[in-house]
Structure formats: structure tokens, C-alpha cells
Amino acid sequence: MPRIETLIDSQNICDLLDDDELGVIGRRVIDDFEKDKESMSEWLRRNEEAFRIIDHDFNNKAEPWDGAANAKLPLIMGSAVKFQSEAGAEIIKGHEAVKTEIFGEPNQEKRARSDRVKAHMNYQLFHEMDNWDGDMDHLLLCLPLVGCIHKKVYFDPAEGKNVSEMCLDNVFIHQDSTSPRKARISQEFTRDKNRIHENEAAGVWSDIEYISTGDTDHPEEDGVQEFIEQHRRLDLDGDGYEEPYIVTVHKDTEKPVRIVANFRAEDVEIMKGKVAKVSANCQFVKYEFIPSPDGSYWSYGWGLLLGPLNDNINTIVNQLLDAGTLSNLQGGWISASVRSTKGDTRFKPGEFKTVKVTGGTLRDSVLPLPTKEPSNTLFLLMQLLIEQVRDFTSVTDIVAGDVPHANMAEGSILALIEQGKKTFNAIYKRIYRSLKGEFKKLFALNLIYSDPAFYAEFFDRDDVNPAADYEFTGYDILPTANPEFASRTQRIVQAEALMPLLGHPEANRNEILRRYVTGVVDNEEDAAIIIPDENQPTPEQMMAQVEQFKQEVLAQHDVRQKELESQIKEMELQMAALKLSQVQTEAPEKTDQAMLRTEEAALRVDLAQAHVDGAKEQENNYEE
């Protein structure tokens, strides 16, 4: 028996086992696949019947007569389309589906790492992974119909990138399972001869024996072969404990073509020198619509729950159409004694035709079929059933975009939207949980397979490393989905209900306006540009600011005036000094009188300076 380390490192464990061991494994895989599929038989049958009901195949109907009415109302399909359009617009906003959540104490390093992870994962979803948004759009259309869809998330070494593959009808899990992580999962698929040859040449698969699927003596030319990939547990190291493996079996020959370990060395727990536990790497994410009431694995969709009701509505519609046809195109019996031109008889307006009648009047010789006009009771019953379907699917007029009253208040509209979205809200939460699980699997794959050189080039920086950004240790950063499951109409109505608070002094005007603009443009970044973080003043605040500016200007003008007066007084003092000098030179006897005038001028200068200082002090007090 190979050691567990050898099994982990092997690219194909089939090369380590003999033919007898491979034969036993192949038969177990096929037998378990049939058991799991059989446990789902009732769910598969009911879904097949639901698709028959919603399939709008306009084949000719021969009962009760050839060409009878065969109409099918698209109630369930219409509800699924409306659900897809509403949910898709909220889940995929532009090119941002992944958000990140910071745990612990936020800091600049965590925020920078969070922004890098979000930007890189969104780039992967919308640019690297083929048609991820298209598959998500398809999933949201089919999920209301079938009730349960899986996505397979894994790293494709041939493509060198992560893959998120939608599995619509080729995944089989036993009804008694509780979750994909603990379940045995089988995926049925086909491969043509070129893909088979590529896998064989690369050593990924063992060689297979072709089984013809057509009328040919050379089955390898036909090429298309069926395979079963089963995620299960096997004891390949002989220690009595079954480890998780992925086994790919050629369905017709029951021969395993590939077996690989579905775990890494880090997933193996050793206690007392023995393997105590091995955790599986679950690649599947379950998207469910309405959980099964009895607790079984496979969930319900509208096709499964409302298919019989839609079938009854279609029957009533066809009965009303057939009754209307009989009422409009009357037929019956006519006596052989009536002699007239045989075949079609056409009348012009105002025309009478001659017939030969013997043994009675023409009225007594013609007996129409006893038909009735379409039943009003059936019509009312059909309306009742249609309303029941719409109530269950929450497809009300307001959710569909039709406002009942033009002048209805915002609060009333919001109440109608909330009432119409009760069923949707619970379903949105389930989709949100599944999306979060899918993004966590991509997060784990990026830790292992991300190319450091591409990661550094993507951010134009040499100091970033995907191994550090996608590290689980510490649980600082984890990806999450966008939880904003509210319609655009609902966000606008909520914002309009807050608009009367704009004049309130304690209300955050910018936040109210930003919410309204976000609802209108449906983009938070554009709304942040239109409504910046700086608070916009109210009209009263603007008037107060203008008055304050006016007082500041007047105070500055007063100070300037005092300064000019002081300069004038200083100039007068200088002139007085010059006159004093002149007087001393010309008439010494007038010196005392001139000095007296000089002292008076100095006194006036001191008084002017005191006025200036007082004005400046008053301005400083006003500013404080």
C-alpha cells in the first residue's frame, strides 16, 4: 500500500494501483453513482414535469379535436425572468461583485490589503474567468425554476487559472446528505476524442478503451465518451481510515482513468503517530432557492412547487378557448329534406337565398349543437389561481415597475415594495451565503496558485505578495459578497422619505442627498463625487456667514482709518519739529512757545495711537 505522502504528491494514483484494485474502485464508483441518482429520482421526475409545463412548444393538439387550443401561460417563467433581472442587478453592480471584510482592529495596512484583495478578485471574476457574470446571470434564471444549482470552483492546471463552473443538471448527491462538504458528489460529463487524447498524452488520464456510441466499426472515430467524476472517500493507504479522493471513471468500461488526492498535507491531522483526521477540499457550492421542508438535500423551485397549479391554469385557459371556438363557429344537423346548394354558402349583406323545404319550416329542419359560451365561473377560477401564483412569487405590480397611483406617498410605496419582497428577501440571503462561500474558495485557491510576478505587475508594485495578502492566519481579511439586496426603486423611495429632514439643524444633509443620488445614478462612487463630504451650509448659515464677513470688513476698515489718522498726526509732529528748529534758529526767544506746541502735538499723537490700539483689541475680541 502506498504511503499517504506518496498519494498526496501523485498526479494520477491509478499508476500506483493494480488492475484488480482499479476494477473494484470503478465498480464502487458506478454503483454509488446509481444509488445517489436513484435517491433523487422523485425530485428529478418532478422537475422534468415542471419543464414540460413551462416548455412553450406549439405542437398541434388533436384532443378534443384536431387543432384544439394548446396555450400555456408563462406565469412561472415570467416570475423567474423578473427575479433574475432584479437579483442580477443587485448582485453584479458594474465590475464589482466581491467585497472584503476586515476583522480585528482596522488599520492602514489591513485596509490596503483589503483593497488589493477586492480589486484582484473582481478582476479575476470579470476578466480572467470565462463568462463568470454570464453563468451567474444564467444561474439566477434557472434557480427559481429547478430550486438547486451547484457551482464547481477549482484550479485548472491546463488553463493556469481558477474556474467557477456552473453545474445545472449533471451533479448527483444523495437526498440524505446535509451539505456538499460532507456528501459524496458525482458529476456526469462527456469528452470528445481530442480532449481525451490531450489528457492521455499529458499523463493526466490513463488510456481508455473506446465504446461505440453510434453505428460504426471504429468507436474511436465516434469519440464522445461518458465519464463520472466522483468526490468520495477511499482507504488507499491501508490504515483503516478513508481519505478524500477525486475518482474519474469511464462509465461504459467502469475503468478509473484518474485518481487524485482531494486534500493537502496541511489537511492531515496526526495524533499519536497515526492519521486522526483528513479534511476534504470541497469544490462545490450549493445555491438553493427554497429549502426542502422535509430536510432532504435537494431544494425546491417554483417549477417544482407551482408546476401543477400552472398546469391547471393552462387547462382552464384551453377549455375557455375551446368553448369560445364552439360558440363562435356553430355547427349541427340539417334535415335531408332541405334542398339547397351543397357545400359552403356565403352571404352578402342584405342577400337572401332560395331553398326548397318540404314537410316543415326551415327552422324545424336545422338543429344546432347545444353549445354554451365560455363559463364565467371558469374564468373567475382561473383569475383566482393566477393571483395565487403571483402572491407566492411576489410578482406584484409595484415590484414589476407599475405604480398603482401617481400621487401615492413615498411611505405607502415603500410599504408596498416591502410587502412584495418578503419572499425575495429570504431567497436573497441564501444566494448571498452561497456567493460568500464561492468567494472564500477562490480566496483559498489564490493563496496556493496566484503568480507573484503577475500580482506585482497587476498593482505596479514590487512590495506586494499574494501569499501574504491571501493568508488565512489571523483571519484579518476575508472576502464577502455584496449584501445590498434592495431594489433601485426601494432605495430611491427610502431616500425621498428622508428629504423632508434636509432643513432640520441636526440632520446630516450630505448623507441624505448622497443616498438619493446613489439611488438615481445607482453608483456610490459617482454619488460621492456629486455630493462631497464637506457640509453644504443652509440658507440661514449662509446669511450668518455673509453678516460675519461684513462685520470683519467694517472692522478692518475702521482699523485702517485709525492707522491713517495716526500717520497724519505723526506727519504733523514732524512738521512741528521742523518749525521748532526754524524758530530756534530765527528767534531764540520763541523757543519756549514752540516747545509747548510740540508737546501738544506729541500728546495728540499718543491719543491717536491709543485709538488704534483700542480698535485692534476690539477686532481680536470679535474674531474670538
Side-chain angles (χ1 to χ4, degrees):
M1 290 291 180
R3 295 174 55 85
I4 192 169
E5 296 84 358
T6 305
L7 296 172
I8 293 175
D9 296 334
S10 176
Q11 296 298 316
N12 189 353
I13 300 176
C14 292
D15 299 335
L16 306 177
L17 305 177
D18 56 37
D19 292 340
D20 292 339
E21 291 174 316
L22 291 176
V24 171
I25 293 173
R27 284 190 294 273
R28 284 186 61 185
V29 168
I30 298 298
D31 290 344
D32 290 340
F33 163 73
E34 296 295 341
K35 291 178 183 177
D36 296 341
K37 187 175 182 179
E38 176 62 25
S39 72
M40 300 167 50
S41 58
E42 181 62 20
W43 185 86
L44 293 172
R45 183 194 64 79
R46 293 176 63 183
N47 261 321
E48 183 178 354
E49 182 67 16
F51 273 100
R52 181 194 64 79
I53 294 171
I54 65 177
D55 181 20
H56 293 272
D57 187 4
F58 296 100
N59 291 330
N60 186 47
K61 187 178 177 183
E63 294 292 337
W65 61 77
D66 189 30
N70 190 23
K72 294 181 179 180
L73 295 187
L75 296 176
I76 298 177
M77 193 66 187
S79 300
V81 171
K82 290 176 181 178
F83 174 84
Q84 174 209 31
S85 61
E86 184 177 354
E90 299 306 319
I91 293 173
I92 304 174
K93 291 186 176 181
H95 281 178
E96 182 176 290
V98 179
K99 290 185 176 290
T100 50
E101 189 173 359
I102 300 176
F103 297 91
E105 186 67 26
N107 52 45
Q108 185 175 358
E109 181 181 356
K110 288 183 180 181
R111 292 189 182 95
R113 178 185 170 193
S114 172
D115 292 339
R116 289 195 300 269
V117 168
K118 180 170 63 176
H120 182 239
M121 291 188 68
N122 280 309
Y123 169 81
Q124 287 181 309
L125 293 180
F126 293 103
H127 299 282
E128 279 191 356
M129 301 168 68
D130 295 337
N131 202 32
W132 181 88
D133 53 341
D135 284 347
M136 198 68 206
D137 191 53
H138 189 195
L139 182 145
L140 293 175
L141 175 64
C142 296
L143 186 62
L145 301 176
V146 301
C148 188
I149 297 177
H150 291 83
K151 294 190 77 174
K152 184 180 179 183
V153 185
Y154 62 98
F155 178 78
D156 187 350
E159 297 290 337
K161 62 183 180 181
N162 296 331
V163 176
S164 181
E165 173 185 311
M166 188 180 73
C167 306
L168 183 58
D169 57 357
N170 63 340
V171 170
F172 302 90
I173 300 175
H174 200 281
Q175 276 281 30
D176 293 339
S177 302
T178 57
S179 69
R181 178 171 294 278
K182 300 179 181 180
R184 180 177 59 231
I185 305 176
S186 300
Q187 183 182 12
E188 190 176 23
F189 63 92
T190 59
R191 289 289 183 268
D192 59 30
K193 62 179 182 180
N194 285 337
R195 292 288 301 276
I196 295 173
H197 174 77
E198 291 171 359
N199 289 334
E200 291 176 346
V204 177
W205 281 7
S206 302
D207 294 345
I208 70 167
E209 178 185 353
Y210 280 86
I211 301 297
S212 177
T213 58
D215 298 331
T216 176
D217 296 332
H218 302 283
E220 66 278 1
E221 296 179 359
D222 187 28
V224 178
Q225 300 291 299
E226 294 183 340
F227 296 88
I228 303 295
E229 180 183 284
Q230 192 171 94
H231 295 235
R232 60 168 306 133
R233 287 184 175 262
L234 297 168
D235 182 16
L236 298 184
D237 59 353
D239 64 348
Y241 180 82
E242 293 184 338
E243 306 87 23
Y245 296 93
I246 301 176
V247 184
T248 305
V249 177
H250 185 216
K251 189 174 180 180
D252 292 324
T253 62
E254 298 184 353
K255 176 185 177 182
V257 296
R258 186 172 189 245
I259 304 176
V260 292
N262 194 23
F263 60 97
R264 297 186 300 155
E266 295 83 353
D267 301 323
V268 181
E269 296 183 15
I270 305 295
M271 295 182 64
K272 298 181 180 180
K274 295 183 180 180
V275 175
K277 181 182 179 181
V278 180
S279 300
N281 174 28
C282 181
Q283 297 181 352
F284 290 87
V285 179
K286 177 185 179 183
Y287 284 81
E288 62 178 347
F289 197 68
I290 300 175
S292 175
D294 61 1
S296 54
Y297 181 83
W298 290 92
S299 308
Y300 289 1
W302 287 334
L304 207 66
L305 294 173
L306 303 178
L309 194 58
N310 203 155
D311 197 18
N312 291 333
I313 294 173
N314 292 337
T315 300
I316 295 176
V317 170
N318 291 322
Q319 288 176 350
L320 293 173
L321 290 173
D322 289 339
T325 301
L326 288 175
S327 179
N328 293 334
L329 304 176
Q330 294 184 5
W333 295 269
I334 187 170
S335 174
S337 62
V338 177
R339 297 178 183 179
S340 64
T341 304
K342 304 299 181 182
D344 293 339
T345 301
R346 300 179 182 273
F347 287 85
K348 296 179 181 179
E351 180 182 7
F352 291 89
K353 294 185 181 293
T354 303
V355 295
K356 296 180 180 181
V357 179
T358 59
T361 63
L362 181 61
R363 181 184 302 167
D364 295 333
S365 301
V366 178
L367 178 63
L369 285 173
T371 59
K372 295 182 179 181
E373 291 197 5
S375 171
N376 188 53
T377 302
L378 280 181
F379 181 74
L380 294 176
L381 177 60
M382 180 188 68
Q383 287 185 320
L384 174 63
L385 295 180
I386 291 176
E387 289 301 321
Q388 290 297 318
V389 172
R390 287 182 172 175
D391 288 344
F392 188 84
T393 57
S394 295
V395 184
T396 60
D397 291 337
I398 186 65
V399 176
D402 300 329
V403 180
H405 302 291
N407 296 323
M408 181 174 287
E410 291 86 353
S412 301
I413 297 176
L414 186 59
L416 286 176
I417 295 176
E418 292 291 343
Q419 181 67 25
K421 291 172 65 67
K422 282 185 177 180
T423 303
F424 285 162
N425 289 337
I427 298 171
Y428 284 159
K429 291 180 181 179
R430 299 184 195 109
I431 296 176
Y432 167 65
R433 287 196 299 266
S434 299
L435 269 174
K436 185 166 61 173
E438 179 180 349
F439 295 157
K440 283 184 178 180
K441 293 185 184 301
L442 290 174
F443 187 93
L445 291 175
N446 285 335
L447 173 64
I448 304 172
Y449 298 108
S450 289
D451 181 10
F454 172 81
Y455 198 74
E457 184 179 359
F458 180 79
F459 291 105
D460 296 325
R461 293 175 55 181
D462 296 332
D463 60 339
V464 293
N465 185 0
D469 283 351
Y470 286 102
E471 179 59 50
F472 277 99
T473 304
Y475 291 96
D476 291 336
I477 304 294
L478 283 179
T480 184
N482 189 347
E484 299 173 1
F485 290 115
S487 67
R488 181 179 179 182
T489 303
Q490 191 174 11
R491 289 193 294 270
I492 293 177
V493 172
Q494 288 174 341
E496 287 180 344
L498 296 174
M499 294 296 283
L501 297 176
L502 285 176
H504 196 279
E506 297 183 1
N508 189 333
R509 300 180 69 256
N510 280 41
E511 182 62 27
I512 295 174
L513 293 174
R514 187 181 291 113
R515 290 190 182 186
Y516 180 79
V517 174
T518 300
V520 173
V521 302
D522 203 24
N523 189 298
E524 293 182 359
E525 295 181 358
D526 291 344
I529 295 174
I530 297 172
I531 308 296
D533 291 334
E534 291 80 7
N535 290 326
Q536 300 295 324
T538 63
E540 294 79 7
Q541 292 173 336
M542 293 182 65
M543 291 296 296
Q545 291 177 0
V546 171
E547 183 64 25
Q548 180 180 359
F549 179 74
K550 176 183 177 181
Q551 295 297 329
E552 291 176 355
V553 171
L554 291 175
Q556 292 175 0
H557 177 73
D558 187 42
V559 171
R560 181 60 178 165
Q561 183 178 2
K562 298 297 184 183
E563 289 178 347
L564 290 174
E565 292 177 355
S566 176
Q567 291 176 0
I568 291 173
K569 299 298 183 183
E570 186 175 355
M571 292 177 64
E572 290 179 352
L573 179 62
Q574 292 176 356
M575 291 179 65
L578 289 174
K579 290 180 179 181
L580 175 63
S581 176
Q582 184 179 2
V583 169
Q584 289 176 345
T585 303
E586 295 178 353
E589 63 276 5
K590 298 181 179 180
T591 299
D592 295 336
Q593 186 178 358
M595 290 182 63
L596 180 59
R597 289 197 298 269
T598 300
E599 291 176 357
E600 292 177 353
L603 181 60
R604 286 196 296 270
V605 170
D606 293 337
L607 290 174
Q609 185 63 40
H611 283 296
V612 172
D613 295 338
K616 288 184 179 181
E617 183 179 0
Q618 181 180 1
E619 179 183 6
N620 292 334
N621 293 335
Y622 180 80
E623 290 179 354
E624 292 177 355

